[in-house]
Amino acid sequence: MRKSKAFLKKEFLHLIRDPKSLFLISLLPVIMLLFYGYVVRMDVKNIKFGVVNYDHSQFFEGLVSDMEASSYFTREGEFPSLKDCEKWIVKGKVDACLIIPSNGYKKLLTGKDTEVLLVLDGSDSNLATTVANYFHAFLAKFNSKHMPRGPEFRFSVVNFFNPELKSSHFFVPGLAAIFLMMICAMLTSITIVKEKEIGSLKLLRLAPVSPFQVIVVKLLPYLFLAVVEASLIIAVAELWFRVPFRGSLLSLGVSIFIYMFAGLSFGVFLSTIASSQAIAMILSLVLTILPSVLLSGFIFPIKSMPVLLQALTYIIPARYFLIIIRGIMLMGVGFKEIYRELVFLMVFAIFFFVISTFRLKREL
Amino acid sequence: MRRILAIVKKEFKQMRRQKQTLLLLFVVPVVQLLIFGYVLTTDVKNIDLGIKDSDKTVFSRHLIDKISNSGYFKIKYVDTTPRGVEELLKKRKVDAVLIIPEGFMRKVLRREGSQAQLIVNAMDSNIASIVTGYIMRIFENFGAGILKGSAPAKVKMIYTAWFNPELKSVYFMVPGLAGLIITIICTLLIGFSIVREKETSTLEQLSITPIKPHELLIGKMIPYALGGFLSITLALMVGKLWFHVPMRGSYLLLFGASFLYILTALSIGILIATFSTSLLQVLFLSWFSLLFAIMLSGLLIPIRNMPKFIQFLSNLTPLKFYIKMLREIFLKGGGLNLMLMDIAILSLFAVVFVLISSLLFRKRLTA
C-alpha cells in the first residue's frame, strides 16, 4: 500500500510539473464546447425562395407574404417565368422556387384543389427534404386559416422534453460526450508508451509493484483530472447554453465517472500496444473521434443506418453515454432507465483495464 | 530540375518502403467512403411509433395500415393514457405516440370536431419535426381518400427536386467525403514526412547539399500530390460505381479544382510541419485544423444555420470551397462560369499557403 502511495505521488508530480500543458488540456474541451456548441445546428432557418406567380390574385399574394412572415422563409425575388428562377437555383441563390399556376384562385372558388409546385434544389438533399416538410406544414396552417373548414382529419402535436424544438439542447450534451471521450483516451494513451520510449519502464521491473498497481496508479491522477474537466463542461452546458437539467446530479455524476474510467482505460490499452507516442496518439484520435462523431448517434440517427453498421455501433462507448447524458439532462431519467447502458460502459472499462494489465505483465 | 527529380525519387522510395503510407493512400479512402457513405444520412427511418387506438373502427385500422405501409414507422400498439406516454418515452420503447380518441372517425365525418394527438420525443428537434411532417402527410392523403367530395378545396403542394429527384442523402455526402479524405491524406502525410526528417536530422543534411529549399519542397510535394490525385480518383470511382452518384459536369474542371485544393492541403501540411518540432505536435495541429474543417466546411452541418460570426469564420477553411465545387460539378453539372468565384478563392488560398509555407520553410531550413 505504502509503495503504491509513493508511486501515486510520483505520477501526480509528473502531472503538475508541467502546469502550462495541464492548464491547456483542462481548458481545451471547454473552449471547444463554447465554440462548436454554436456550430452544430440542424434546424434550418432563412430558406431562400423565389416566386413565379402566374395567378396574380390577392389570395396567392397573401400566401407569399404569409410565408415570409413565418421566420422560416425569406423571399429573394419574383420571376416572370420558371426559366428565370431556374437560373437562380442553379447558381444556388435560392433553395426553392414556388410556382403558382394561373387561375389558381378561380379554381379554388369553384371548389377544386389548386396545386402549387415547389421546385427544390436537390443537390443538398437534406436541406431539400427539410424545405419540403416546412412548406407542407406551412400550407396546412394556411389552409385551415383561409379556407372554409370541412371535415378534416387532424391531430395536435405535443413536443415532449423540448417544446421549443431547440437544436442546441440536443447537441450540446452530445458534444460534451465526444470531447470527454477524446480527452480521456488521449491523456492516457501516451502514459505507458512514454516510459517505454525513455526506458524507464524497464526500471519498473525492478520496483516492487505489480502491473495491476502500475495501471491503477497511472489512471488515478487522470481520473481526478477528468472529473474536474467533466464538471467544467457540464457547467458550461448548463450556465452558458442553458440546457435543461431534469435528472439527478448523482446519476449523472456516477455515469460520467464510469464513462471517464472507460475512456481512460481504453487510452491505457492503446498505450500498451503502441510502439511509439506518435502512434499511440494517432490511434487514440482515429479510434475515438470519428466513431464517436459518426457512429454514436451524435448527429446521424442509428436507427436509419444499415443493419450491419448498426451492429458496429454497439461497441462504441459514446453511443451509450449519449443515451445516458441526453436521458438524464433532457428527459430526467434515473438509474432504472439507464442501468443497461451503465453496465455496458463498466464492462468496456474493465475489459480494457484487464487487458492492459496483462499486456503490461508480459512487457515487464 | 535534375535535383528535384532526385528528391522525388527518394520520396517515392520512402513511400514504397513504408507499407502504412500506401495503405493510407489507397485502402483507407475506399473503406471510409464505403462506411460513411451509408452512415451519413439524415433520412429518418424505422421510427418506433406507439399507437393507442380507442376508435377501433375499420377506418382507424385503415389509417394505421397507411402509416405502417409508409415505410418510415415501426408500429407498436400501446395501451396508455397521455400521462403514461412520458414513461414510454423515457424507457425509449417508442419515439412517438399517436393517440386516436374514441369516436374519432365518426365525429370527423359528422363535423363534430375531434382530433388525434401526436406526442413526440422532441429531444432531437430535427427528428421531431420530420416525424410530425410524415404523419401530417399520411393524414392528409387518408382524408383525401375517404372524404373525397365532401372536403373543401384547398391549396396543395407537389414538389420536384432538381439534380436529385429521389432526394438521396448519399449523393450529397459522397462528394463531401471525398474532399475530406484527401484533406486528411495530403495534410497528414506530407507533415509527417517533413517532421520525420526533422527528428532524424536528415533535413539538416539535405540543407547542406546543393539542393535549394524550393527544389526540396517541390520534390516533396510532387509524390504526395500524385498520391492525393490517385486517392481522390479512387474515392470518386467508388462514389460513382458503388453509390451511383451521378457525374454531370466536366472531368477537366473536377481535376482542375482538385489540383488547386491538393496544392492548398499540401501547403497546410508543410506549414504545420514547419511550426512543429515533433510528430506529436504535427498530430495535434493537424487534428485541430481537421476538426475545424469537418465542422465548418458544410460537410455535415449546414453553414447557413450557424451564427453570423461563425459563418464568417467558415471562409477560412479551403475545404468549404472545394466541397461546394465538387457537389456542383457532380450534381448540378455546373460549368466554369458558375464557379469563377470559388476557383478564384481556392487559387488565392493555394497561392497564399504555398508562399507562406515555402517562405517559412526556407527560413527554418537556412536558419
Side-chain angles (χ1 to χ4, degrees):
Chain A
M1 191 58 212
R2 222 188 49 224
K3 274 173 282 179
S4 16
K5 227 179 183 169
F7 198 39
L8 187 61
K9 208 163 141 199
K10 162 195 160 257
E11 285 298 321
F12 264 108
L13 281 178
H14 268 305
L15 199 62
I16 55 174
R17 198 187 296 151
D18 187 6
K20 223 164 67 189
S21 43
L22 190 66
F23 186 68
L24 203 75
I25 287 172
S26 353
L27 272 189
L28 200 66
V30 176
I31 294 169
M32 289 202 302
L33 184 64
L34 276 175
F35 183 67
Y36 289 118
Y38 284 106
V39 171
V40 191
R41 303 257 155 108
M42 299 305 277
D43 43 357
V44 180
K45 272 184 205 136
N46 301 324
I47 298 159
K48 292 176 284 182
F49 73 102
V51 183
V52 181
N53 190 346
Y54 290 117
D55 183 68
H56 303 298
S57 67
Q58 222 166 15
F59 180 81
F60 277 104
E61 254 148 48
L63 185 138
V64 174
S65 55
D66 266 23
M67 235 173 124
E68 276 189 287
S70 77
S71 83
Y72 290 115
F73 297 97
T74 320
R75 177 162 59 171
E76 288 291 311
E78 230 174 301
F79 303 94
S81 74
L82 179 56
K83 264 254 154 62
D84 303 287
C85 199
E86 183 177 351
K87 277 185 207 141
W88 279 50
I89 289 186
V90 174
K91 278 186 194 158
K93 286 190 176 168
V94 292
D95 306 311
C97 210
L98 178 67
I99 290 133
I100 301 166
S102 56
N103 295 327
Y105 185 54
K106 266 191 201 145
K107 207 171 159 196
L108 279 175
L109 287 180
T110 61
K112 282 186 194 134
D113 290 345
T114 289
E115 280 175 339
V116 293
L117 175 68
L118 193 67
V119 181
L120 299 163
D121 177 356
S123 67
D124 184 341
S125 54
N126 297 338
L127 181 73
T129 314
T130 315
V131 173
N133 270 328
Y134 283 2
F135 187 66
H136 203 89
F138 164 78
L139 270 190
K141 233 187 238 165
F142 179 82
N143 278 325
S144 68
K145 203 168 112 195
H146 296 277
M147 301 307 293
R149 284 281 186 78
E152 199 181 348
F153 294 101
R154 287 188 300 149
F155 62 94
S156 62
V157 185
V158 183
N159 288 313
F160 244 89
F161 307 123
N162 186 4
E164 295 159 69
L165 293 179
K166 272 202 170 168
S167 194
S168 62
H169 288 180
F170 186 65
F171 286 116
V172 167
L175 280 172
I178 285 166
F179 291 149
L180 282 176
M181 186 66 193
M182 202 180 72
I183 266 300
C184 282
M186 233 154 53
L187 278 176
T188 46
S189 69
I190 50 172
T191 49
I192 286 174
V193 73
K194 193 158 121 204
E195 302 221 16
K196 229 190 274 178
E197 274 191 346
I198 55 176
S200 58
L201 197 66
K202 288 203 184 97
L203 291 177
L204 274 183
R205 199 185 321 179
L206 306 173
V209 283
S210 65
F212 174 75
Q213 278 169 319
V214 173
I215 299 223
V216 170
V217 156
K218 288 247 173 235
L219 277 183
L220 274 180
Y222 291 108
L223 196 57
F224 178 73
L225 189 70
V227 168
V228 174
E229 190 78 67
S231 322
L232 272 175
I233 283 195
I234 299 299
V236 169
E238 282 307 303
L239 302 175
W240 187 263
F241 288 106
R242 304 263 166 210
V243 179
F245 195 101
R246 304 204 170 93
S248 80
L249 205 53
L250 177 74
S251 52
L252 186 64
V254 171
S255 316
I256 287 188
F257 193 78
I258 296 176
Y259 183 56
M260 310 263 84
F261 180 37
L264 291 170
S265 39
F266 185 61
V268 169
F269 165 72
L270 293 179
S271 194
T272 56
I273 58 167
S275 53
S276 70
Q277 289 188 57
I279 291 189
M281 286 271 292
I282 297 186
L283 282 177
S284 73
L285 285 177
V286 170
L287 295 178
T288 56
I289 294 188
L290 278 185
S292 303
V293 171
L294 300 174
L295 293 173
S296 65
F298 167 56
I299 297 182
F300 304 101
I302 293 175
K303 281 182 184 174
S304 311
M305 296 175 191
V307 181
L308 205 68
L309 284 176
Q310 282 192 34
L312 197 61
T313 64
Y314 283 99
I315 56 166
I316 291 165
R319 173 204 157 112
Y320 300 93
F321 189 65
L322 276 176
I323 294 177
I324 295 172
I325 191 172
R326 282 170 176 163
I328 293 176
M329 291 177 87
L330 302 175
M331 297 203 274
V333 301
F335 286 116
K336 196 172 58 179
E337 285 93 1
I338 54 170
Y339 74 93
R340 261 170 296 151
E341 281 72 27
L342 282 178
V343 167
F344 173 82
L345 285 180
M346 205 67 205
V347 169
F348 184 91
I350 292 173
F351 176 76
F352 282 107
F353 184 85
V354 171
I355 297 246
S356 324
T357 319
F358 275 115
R359 297 225 28 133
L360 192 65
K361 201 181 242 163
R362 256 213 341 239
E363 201 90 32
L364 291 176
Chain B
M1 196 59 213
R2 226 189 43 226
R3 289 190 292 248
I4 293 178
L5 271 180
I7 296 280
V8 171
K9 226 159 140 191
K10 158 190 156 290
E11 286 296 320
F12 268 126
K13 254 189 199 152
Q14 277 179 329
M15 247 191 213
R16 220 178 28 216
R17 214 175 302 147
Q18 284 191 313
K19 294 270 154 54
Q20 284 150 329
T21 315
L22 293 178
L23 209 70
L24 254 169
L25 275 175
F26 303 116
V27 182
V28 173
V30 176
V31 174
Q32 273 184 327
L33 204 63
L34 282 179
I35 293 184
F36 297 145
Y38 282 115
V39 171
L40 304 181
T41 155
T42 38
D43 309 340
V44 181
K45 278 182 286 189
N46 302 326
I47 304 156
D48 287 302
L49 179 71
I51 289 191
K52 156 109 172 148
D53 179 13
S54 303
D55 189 58
K56 291 199 184 102
T57 56
V58 188
F59 289 122
S60 70
R61 255 167 257 144
H62 186 49
L63 174 67
I64 295 166
D65 278 347
K66 283 227 160 180
I67 294 175
S68 102
N69 289 339
S70 70
Y72 299 121
F73 298 98
K74 281 198 285 188
I75 303 238
K76 285 181 187 167
Y77 286 93
V78 292
D79 193 24
T80 177
T81 54
R83 213 171 268 271
V85 170
E86 187 173 345
E87 265 319 289
L88 287 175
L89 294 181
K90 273 188 179 177
K91 285 191 184 137
R92 283 172 281 118
K93 298 255 188 248
V94 291
D95 301 310
V97 175
L98 180 68
I99 298 178
I100 305 172
E102 216 183 311
F104 176 58
M105 299 293 167
R106 198 191 59 224
K107 282 181 184 161
V108 169
L109 294 172
R110 290 189 189 162
R111 305 188 183 209
E112 281 168 18
S114 172
Q115 55 183 3
Q117 191 178 32
L118 181 69
I119 302 174
V120 193
N121 185 345
M123 241 182 10
D124 186 344
S125 49
N126 196 35
I127 290 191
S129 45
I130 291 175
V131 170
T132 310
Y134 285 161
I135 295 281
M136 190 185 284
R137 255 173 237 189
I138 293 167
F139 264 59
E140 269 182 19
N141 287 338
F142 175 74
I146 286 199
L147 300 168
K148 277 187 196 118
S150 58
K154 56 181 153 189
V155 184
K156 285 207 306 198
M157 169 185 91
I158 45 177
Y159 71 82
T160 61
W162 281 358
F163 313 120
N164 184 1
E166 292 157 76
L167 291 176
K168 282 192 176 173
S169 263
V170 76
Y171 290 179
F172 178 62
M173 284 299 179
V174 164
L177 276 173
L180 177 68
I181 287 167
I182 70 163
T183 314
I184 296 179
I185 286 175
C186 290
T187 311
L188 275 184
L189 283 186
I190 200 164
F192 279 159
S193 110
I194 291 178
V195 165
R196 207 181 295 127
E197 298 220 24
K198 254 192 195 172
E199 281 191 330
T200 54
S201 310
T202 47
L203 206 59
E204 266 171 59
Q205 288 170 13
L206 281 174
S207 72
I208 49 170
T209 58
I211 297 167
K212 300 204 177 68
H214 73 267
E215 292 170 339
L216 181 57
L217 264 192
I218 295 172
K220 271 214 174 289
M221 279 168 102
I222 290 174
Y224 290 102
L226 282 178
F229 260 117
L230 266 175
S231 51
I232 187 100
T233 312
L234 218 61
L236 294 178
M237 259 164 59
V238 171
K240 200 165 167 351
L241 300 177
W242 183 261
F243 290 111
H244 303 293
V245 181
M247 167 66 187
R248 304 202 174 100
S250 91
Y251 281 96
L252 191 67
L253 201 56
L254 180 69
F255 282 105
S258 303
F259 173 74
L260 283 177
Y261 185 68
I262 287 172
L263 215 57
T264 316
L266 287 175
S267 316
I268 294 177
I270 295 170
L271 206 60
I272 288 173
T274 23
F275 278 124
S276 359
T277 47
S278 66
L279 278 180
L280 228 57
Q281 281 177 14
V282 175
L283 215 75
F284 226 84
L285 286 174
S286 19
W287 173 73
F288 249 109
S289 67
L290 269 181
L291 192 67
F292 190 81
I294 291 178
M295 297 294 241
L296 293 178
S297 62
L299 168 69
L300 307 176
I301 304 151
I303 296 173
R304 58 194 307 143
N305 302 348
M306 300 171 191
K308 279 273 167 324
F309 171 65
I310 293 178
Q311 286 193 23
F312 172 74
L313 279 183
S314 75
N315 290 324
L316 292 177
T317 162
L319 184 60
K320 171 183 165 178
F321 301 97
Y322 182 54
I323 287 184
K324 201 171 143 219
M325 285 171 70
L326 280 184
R327 282 174 179 160
E328 258 163 25
I329 295 171
F330 263 86
L331 298 175
K332 291 193 185 172
L336 193 58
N337 55 332
L338 273 180
M339 289 174 238
L340 279 179
M341 192 64 185
D342 299 310
I343 294 253
I345 294 173
L346 213 50
S347 316
L348 192 70
F349 266 120
V351 170
V352 168
F353 276 114
V354 168
L355 272 181
I356 295 180
S357 63
S358 54
L359 280 177
L360 279 176
F361 185 74
R362 200 173 66 191
K363 222 171 112 195
R364 290 282 156 112
L365 206 59
T366 48

